[in-house]
Amino acid sequence: MPDRKLRWGVLSTANIARAAVVPAIHASRNGRLVAVASRDAERARAFAVDAEIPRHYGSYEALLEDDGIDAVYIPLPNAMHREWTHRACAAGKHVLCEKPLALDAAECLDMAAAADEYGVVLMEAFMYRFHPRTERVLERLRAGDLGPVKAIRSAFTFRLRSEDNIRLDPDLGGGALMDVGCYCVNASRTLAGAEPVEAQAFAEWTSRGVDAALSGALRFEDGLVARFDCALTLERREVYEVAGTDGTLLVESSFLPGKADTPIRTLTGRAGESVETVPGADEYQRMVEHFAGAVLDGTSVRYGPEEAARNMRAIEALYASARAGGRPVELRA
């Protein structure tokens, strides 16, 4: 890579690629977008023209055969992540794959093994972790600003208008927990700095057996409980709060804050409220730059696929509890 830029391809013309990740790669300082693929050749051509991408392919296989591509971004439906990550790894491509990385923890570890076998980098695309505000919140928590953390609450909901949406398709790994609840689970674990030991959940199921809404709780070894709710049936809510003995941090628009300056609100009882403003940033651009930097420099990504497997273990336990009518489920180490 003589120009020190990672050459990217995109497997799919999904909306998340068009709206967020493609512009982020274009804007990145260490990446260059060179190709896009779709199973529909005309769709790939139109996407490439609109997004100013030099090459386009009418199949995913053709893109993976392109020796001028170093890495691929995979925004395919959840049930397709494992197959196309395996194929990309076998083709010698590094992989940034949309969340959740796979349908369960075993699949995550299988994908991690494939990346190790072929000597490529694999990372799950939880972009919010790369926003400066998330980094600042974690810095404050690790510094003990709130005292011991005793409770975490989060929510991520939005309302689907079409019953044909792939998020409601059980064969594609749909469901509220898999689509937006996975952010709450990931944030809970990240903010706690630990892994849960018990999960409990209650769900509202569709006629096809997919969770349209789910409320859950994760209990940690030290007694901390992280509660959350997620839904594909409610108007948009996107927030988390972290409560400690000495104060509470409130973070709104927590996963998709946009590029403007963003606040962290601190509530401290009688002392009232204070606001710390974090300079705005494109979290998608920071994510793709981090990934490209790891590939180019031969270093490790901040969040590897094993971390994705730990997130999926919690999600699996939450689903097991919800299917058992809310019976608590122990998580094995």
Side-chain angles (χ1 to χ4, degrees):
M1 305 176 202
D3 61 354
R4 294 293 293 170
K5 286 197 173 184
L6 192 70
R7 299 169 297 179
W8 287 89
V10 178
L11 292 186
S12 167
T13 55
N15 287 336
I16 184 62
R18 183 189 303 273
V21 179
V22 163
I25 295 173
H26 276 319
S28 66
R29 56 179 171 75
N30 57 359
R32 181 159 52 91
L33 186 53
V34 299
V36 63
S38 171
R39 290 175 293 187
D40 182 321
E42 176 53 30
R43 181 174 293 177
R45 186 202 66 78
F47 189 100
V49 170
D50 290 345
E52 300 181 340
I53 302 173
R55 299 196 289 278
H56 55 87
Y57 295 101
S59 72
Y60 304 142
E61 292 90 345
L63 185 146
L64 293 180
E65 292 171 0
D66 186 336
D67 291 334
I69 294 172
D70 307 307
V72 294
Y73 165 60
I74 300 179
L76 294 165
N78 299 334
M80 300 173 70
H81 289 178
R82 180 186 186 186
E83 175 187 356
W84 287 101
T85 293
H86 264 273
R87 292 195 181 199
C89 291
K93 313 300 186 191
H94 306 278
V95 179
L96 176 65
C97 183
E98 263 306 324
K99 56 77 208 164
L101 185 62
L103 297 180
D104 55 41
E107 281 196 2
C108 290
L109 295 176
D110 177 68
M111 293 156 70
D116 286 343
E117 177 183 355
Y118 292 102
V120 297
V121 176
L122 170 62
M123 190 176 85
E124 183 178 35
F126 264 124
M127 72 296 172
Y128 86 96
R129 298 184 292 198
F130 295 91
H131 195 283
R133 183 174 61 176
T134 305
E135 295 170 347
R136 177 59 179 151
V137 166
L138 292 175
E139 181 182 289
R140 290 183 59 181
L141 292 178
R142 305 306 175 247
D145 282 9
L146 302 182
V149 173
K150 297 297 185 181
I152 297 170
R153 294 198 325 183
S154 59
F156 200 168
T157 67
F158 74 99
R159 189 176 178 185
L160 284 179
R161 304 293 177 176
S162 171
E163 294 183 2
D164 296 330
N165 193 287
I166 64 169
R167 293 175 177 86
L168 297 175
D169 189 336
D171 295 330
L172 294 179
L177 180 55
M178 290 289 278
D179 190 64
V180 285
C182 62
Y183 284 93
C184 298
V185 173
N186 190 270
S188 297
R189 296 174 44 256
T190 301
L191 295 167
E195 297 302 320
V197 296
E198 186 179 70
Q200 184 175 26
F202 300 88
E204 173 189 332
W205 305 98
T206 70
S207 59
R208 301 175 69 185
V210 167
D211 54 309
L214 183 143
S215 296
L218 297 170
R219 182 175 64 82
F220 294 82
E221 191 78 57
D222 62 358
L224 165 64
V225 176
R227 296 175 175 84
F228 72 93
D229 67 280
C230 58
L232 304 176
T233 55
L234 300 175
E235 288 301 325
R236 190 171 190 88
R237 294 158 57 237
E238 184 191 335
V239 64
Y240 68 73
E241 65 176 33
V242 188
T245 56
D246 300 331
T248 299
L249 295 185
L250 176 62
V251 178
E252 298 170 308
S253 299
S254 42
F255 306 115
L256 292 163
K259 300 177 185 179
D261 293 353
T262 56
I264 302 171
R265 303 187 185 281
T266 304
L267 310 176
T268 50
R270 293 181 180 178
E273 176 180 328
S274 62
V275 178
E276 177 183 1
T277 300
V278 178
D282 182 340
E283 59 190 350
Y284 290 97
Q285 181 179 338
R286 287 172 61 92
M287 175 181 68
V288 298
E289 287 181 345
H290 171 79
F291 180 87
V295 173
L296 294 169
D297 297 335
T299 57
S300 298
V301 291
R302 193 183 305 170
Y303 302 102
E306 294 80 10
E307 203 287 329
R310 291 191 287 272
N311 211 56
M312 283 310 305
R313 286 193 188 99
I315 288 173
E316 289 179 73
L318 288 161
Y319 271 136
S321 174
R323 292 189 180 104
R327 175 180 57 82
V329 172
E330 182 179 342
L331 276 85
R332 297 179 180 177

